[in-house]
Amino acid sequence: MHRRPRKLSPEERELWAQVAASAVALHAPHPAADEATLPQAAASRPHLPPRLPRADLAEFRIGQAVTRAAFGHDPAPGIAERLAQAPLSMDMKAHRKMSRGRLSPEARIDLHGMTLAEAHPELIRFILRAQDSGLRLVLVITGKGRLGADDGPIPMRHGILRHQVPHWLHQVPLSASVLQVAQAHLRHGGTGAYYVYLRRAR
């Protein structure tokens, strides 16, 4: 037989109210907003670095911090320019006459068409023999060089002998015999030949 729950008496209700009023919760309740939004927002928001202030680009110009010197070119001087800037070792009047083509070479050698391996020993023999013979001004003909196809990114140097002969004349064993080297006048070959002024034979 089902028994009905007994109702509390007024004294029991008053006692229960006192106990409930003095009770303290074990965990402080969280606000509803924190439980609903904060964990989800923290989980879904990626970690981003702090924003830096935006630079003012109104007055910016490309390359404004680079000096003009960085864009300058300093190409190597040409053969004629290097020879003209060389210190003058021979008599000034004789050099002026030689540069104007007024001195006639006493001997000449034509290296045009030879390879480097062929031309170098021929040049050495010619210069040493000319000095031993007491000659002072000789002419070395190299040719201007052929202009071939130049399709690569690096420009090709034309006239290998024309570029190499001045170096040979200033190196051992010829440096002890050569007093001055200059580009020949047009009447003696121009850019395809060199005047070589020799030291006196000892």
Side-chain angles (χ1 to χ4, degrees), residues 109-120 122-123 142 160-161:
I109 183 174
D110 191 351
L111 304 177
H112 183 256
M114 295 185 185
T115 63
L116 293 178
E118 296 169 343
H120 196 190
E122 289 294 329
L123 179 64
T142 62
I160 298 177
L161 280 176

Side-chain angles (χ1 to χ4, degrees), residues 1 8 20 45 49-50 62-64 69 111 119 122 125-126 140 148-149 170 181 183:
M1 185 175 181
L8 297 177
R45 183 181 303 169
I62 296 177
Q64 64 183 13
L111 304 177
E122 289 294 329
R125 281 193 290 268
F126 171 76
V140 178
H170 290 94
V181 180
Q183 183 175 295

Side-chain angles (χ1 to χ4, degrees), residues 88 90-108 135-140 179-180 182-190 193-198 200:
L88 186 61
M90 61 182 292
D91 180 71
M92 183 180 297
K93 292 183 180 180
H95 182 268
R96 187 180 299 113
K97 290 182 179 180
M98 180 184 71
S99 301
R100 296 176 180 177
R102 296 179 181 178
L103 290 181
S104 297
E106 302 169 89
R108 67 184 61 201
L135 305 183
R136 300 302 307 275
L137 180 62
V138 298
L139 184 69
V140 178
L179 189 64
Q180 197 81 39
Q183 183 175 295
H185 191 269
L186 288 176
R187 69 179 62 180
H188 294 135
Y194 295 105
Y195 292 132
V196 182
Y197 201 81
L198 302 176
R200 293 186 183 275

Side-chain angles (χ1 to χ4, degrees), residues 50-61 64:
R51 289 187 177 182
L52 298 177
R54 180 174 296 180
D56 184 12
L57 302 180
E59 300 298 329
F60 175 76
R61 296 293 181 271
Q64 64 183 13

Side-chain angles (χ1 to χ4, degrees), residues 5-201:
R6 186 176 64 86
K7 294 183 180 181
L8 297 177
S9 63
E11 293 79 8
E12 291 175 337
R13 289 179 180 275
E14 184 179 356
L15 180 61
W16 177 251
Q18 294 176 2
V19 173
S22 61
V24 179
L26 295 177
H27 301 285
H30 296 285
D34 293 344
E35 296 178 359
T37 60
L38 292 182
Q40 295 179 1
S44 61
R45 183 181 303 169
H47 180 70
L48 298 177
R51 289 187 177 182
L52 298 177
R54 180 174 296 180
D56 184 12
L57 302 180
E59 300 298 329
F60 175 76
R61 296 293 181 271
I62 296 177
Q64 64 183 13
V66 181
T67 59
R68 291 185 177 271
F71 295 97
H73 297 283
D74 187 16
I79 302 175
E81 186 179 349
R82 291 201 304 269
L83 294 177
Q85 294 175 353
L88 186 61
S89 301
M90 61 182 292
D91 180 71
M92 183 180 297
K93 292 183 180 180
H95 182 268
R96 187 180 299 113
K97 290 182 179 180
M98 180 184 71
S99 301
R100 296 176 180 177
R102 296 179 181 178
L103 290 181
S104 297
E106 302 169 89
R108 67 184 61 201
I109 183 174
D110 191 351
L111 304 177
H112 183 256
M114 295 185 185
T115 63
L116 293 178
E118 296 169 343
H120 196 190
E122 289 294 329
L123 179 64
I124 293 175
R125 281 193 290 268
F126 171 76
I127 295 296
L128 296 181
R129 188 179 302 149
Q131 186 187 33
D132 290 341
S133 301
L135 305 183
R136 300 302 307 275
L137 180 62
V138 298
L139 184 69
V140 178
I141 302 172
T142 62
K144 298 179 181 180
R146 297 178 180 178
L147 296 177
D150 188 6
D151 299 328
I154 301 177
M156 297 177 61
R157 173 174 288 181
H158 304 293
I160 298 177
L161 280 176
R162 185 164 61 93
H163 287 81
Q164 192 62 38
V165 163
H167 294 288
W168 288 341
L169 292 171
H170 290 94
Q171 292 176 349
V172 177
L174 298 181
S175 58
S177 302
V178 175
L179 189 64
Q180 197 81 39
V181 180
Q183 183 175 295
H185 191 269
L186 288 176
R187 69 179 62 180
H188 294 135
T191 57
Y194 295 105
Y195 292 132
V196 182
Y197 201 81
L198 302 176
R199 300 179 187 273
R200 293 186 183 275

